[in-house]
Amino acid sequence: MTSSEPGPGGPHDPAKAQETAQWWATPPTGTDSGQPVQGADPTMLNYASGGMPPYTPPAQAIPPAQSGGGYPQQPMTGGYGQPVSGGFPQQQYPPQQQFAPHQQYTPTPPVAPAYGYAAPPPRSGGNKTGWIIGGVVGLVVIIGVIIGAVALSGGNSPLGDDKKKNAGKYTMDGVTNGCSVIDTSVLSKFAANSKGAPEHSETKPTDYSGGRFECRAGNEETTKPDKYGSTDTNTADLTLDVSFLSGSSSAYNRPEYDIWKTSDTGTTGSGRTSGDLAGIGEAGYWVSKSDDYTYFTTTDYTCAVKDDNASVKIEIRLTMYKGKTVSKDDLAQTCKDQTRKALDNIKKK
């Protein structure tokens, strides 16, 4: 399908179609040379052969370069400082700030406050630690001055004065065995034999407690055999309770005597009697209670007194089987005598 080619520089016959021309470079038959070819891809046509101007593709938007220290770049031009053609609007950027050669610009990004909160105010100056330390040192100095003044005055602080004023004329100093302030052998009048060594307990006084002590003693004896040969045991038990007021006065620093009296004399019942105990201390009371059973009788006798800062209470309980009786007057006198003895033995010498 090709004709012989003339040699280089040979003439071409315009009347002959050049068989080397391709179909897409040759306008279709009947096409006006001044009109664009219909139905053909313009990118595949040779416009130069038909006298058409050269095809210029549309201008593309060129994004700003990311380099250059974070500053926007100037828009690209289409040659010789002209904007790129194609009908697209050109993005405008503010001109770059100029700096003197000897200055170095360091951008400072703004710090936005946290969402929903205002920016914190600037911190004020000043050092509060120094003031705090100074205040502590001053307080220590003041306390030292007060302690020194008290020492020079003989140690009579307000608390010491209060303790001295309310100390009272009774004390448990030197009491190591509470049973030593009474005579527990008096129980032998009611029961011949001791059950064992009396028990005692002591609570030493403190700044908030006046102290207290107790004693518990008991005697027993076996009854004579009855006609069946069986025996029983008579018993006599004694309890001593002594308490002291504390050195400070308060609504809770009540004499133990008041509590005892409310409980002992406030109870009523058959065989129970009570009255005032005169002649010992500031105030006193006694309570007697007897219960008769088929084979034995129980008798409880209580004496309690208060004087100044001391409260003393003695309880004697007898259990006697049939065949032995005890005088209530003798029991009352024994209780009263031991109460007076305890109060005398705790008085300050």
Side-chain angles (χ1 to χ4, degrees), residues 29 83 93 193 198 268:
T29 304
Y93 298 95
N193 305 312
T268 59

Side-chain angles (χ1 to χ4, degrees), residues 190-203:
F190 311 109
N193 305 312
S194 173
K195 292 181 180 180
E199 299 177 355
H200 60 91
S201 62
E202 293 77 29
T203 302

Side-chain angles (χ1 to χ4, degrees), residues 123-275:
R123 297 178 63 181
S124 58
N127 187 1
K128 297 182 180 179
T129 304
W131 289 98
I132 296 175
I133 296 176
V136 172
V137 173
L139 181 60
V140 172
V141 172
I142 293 174
I143 294 175
V145 172
I146 294 175
I147 293 176
V150 171
L152 293 177
S153 63
N156 294 325
S157 65
L159 180 59
D161 291 341
D162 185 61
K163 291 178 64 178
K164 183 177 180 181
K165 179 180 178 181
N166 295 282
K169 61 182 181 180
Y170 297 97
T171 179
M172 65 174 293
D173 291 345
V175 178
T176 58
N177 184 342
C179 296
S180 63
V181 301
I182 59 174
D183 183 8
T184 60
S185 66
V186 295
L187 293 177
S188 61
K189 294 189 299 182
F190 311 109
N193 305 312
S194 173
K195 292 181 180 180
E199 299 177 355
H200 60 91
S201 62
E202 293 77 29
T203 302
K204 296 299 181 181
T206 64
D207 290 340
Y208 306 100
S209 173
R212 67 184 306 134
F213 61 85
E214 296 178 350
C215 173
R216 293 169 297 278
N219 278 28
E220 62 184 4
E221 67 179 13
T222 304
T223 64
K224 294 179 180 181
D226 59 13
K227 62 180 180 178
Y228 301 104
S230 62
T231 60
D232 297 304
T233 303
N234 297 328
T235 61
D237 297 290
L238 181 149
T239 301
L240 168 68
D241 195 349
V242 180
S243 66
F244 301 85
L245 292 175
S246 64
S248 59
S249 298
S250 68
Y252 300 99
N253 191 26
R254 297 173 54 193
E256 196 81 9
Y257 169 88
D258 295 343
I259 301 174
W260 295 335
K261 185 176 182 179
T262 300
S263 176
D264 293 338
T265 63
T267 304
T268 59
S270 176
R272 189 179 189 90
T273 58
S274 63

